[in-house]
Amino acid sequence: MDITLSGDLFERMISHARSVLPQEACGFLIGTGSHASRFQAMANSLASATAYEIDPALLAAAFRSLRETGEELIGIVHSHPSGPAEPSERDRRQAFYPQAAHLIISLADPERPQVRGYRIIDGEAYEIECRIVI
Ligand SMILES: [Zn+2]
């Protein structure tokens, strides 16, 4: 399943990723079906430049609020401050929510941030299309 998001949402994800440099950023794309309507930045509890983790308590709270609003977790977003927009081995091993897409923002070229999306199932990554609509 591909993902559709607005240019505005795209900019928000990029600016969040830039704001936490040199650490990896992470957050959720939330919406319904394949259409993302908002981005929720989450703290990287590892505070690392090469890995991310979302605190389990924050994760549980985020899922609770989604149940209340009836929205869905469409994608888990994280950034690679200096690497390519491709899942690392750790990303593939730690993809605990196969129903959600994984979006990776590469800031390796600061002028041209890149976003690519994947489904990660049983440690295998399959690229999907991320459509940006203006
Ligand atoms: Zn990664």
Side-chain angles (χ1 to χ4, degrees):
M1 193 168 68
D2 298 335
I3 286 194
T4 308
L5 64 156
S6 68
D8 183 50
L9 217 46
F10 179 80
E11 289 301 323
R12 240 173 261 197
M13 284 166 28
I14 304 287
S15 67
H16 173 66
R18 284 186 169 135
S19 74
V20 301
L21 282 173
Q23 297 176 6
E24 286 199 7
C26 52
F28 291 152
L29 261 187
I30 293 164
T32 45
S34 65
H35 185 84
S37 50
R38 61 190 179 93
F39 172 67
Q40 182 177 351
M42 302 292 287
N44 179 355
S45 65
L46 298 179
S48 160
T50 54
Y52 78 100
E53 206 167 272
I54 299 172
D55 183 281
L58 294 178
L59 201 59
F63 279 120
R64 247 192 326 273
S65 79
L66 287 182
R67 272 198 300 277
E68 280 162 15
T69 60
E71 295 168 300
E72 293 162 38
L73 174 65
I74 291 186
I76 298 170
V77 183
H78 78 281
S79 68
H80 286 171
S82 53
E86 289 162 14
S88 65
E89 198 191 317
R90 181 191 162 90
D91 292 339
R92 283 187 273 110
R93 271 190 285 115
Q94 303 220 331
F96 298 129
Y97 300 96
Q99 76 278 21
H102 290 262
L103 277 76
I104 302 176
I105 302 170
S106 168
L107 298 174
D109 179 350
E111 302 296 309
R112 302 165 68 108
Q114 217 199 352
V115 178
R116 289 167 71 181
Y118 303 87
R119 296 269 158 201
I120 301 176
I121 300 161
D122 295 333
E124 290 291 327
Y126 305 90
E127 186 157 13
I128 59 171
E129 195 187 337
C130 291
R131 258 187 306 275
I132 318 286
V133 293
I134 310 297

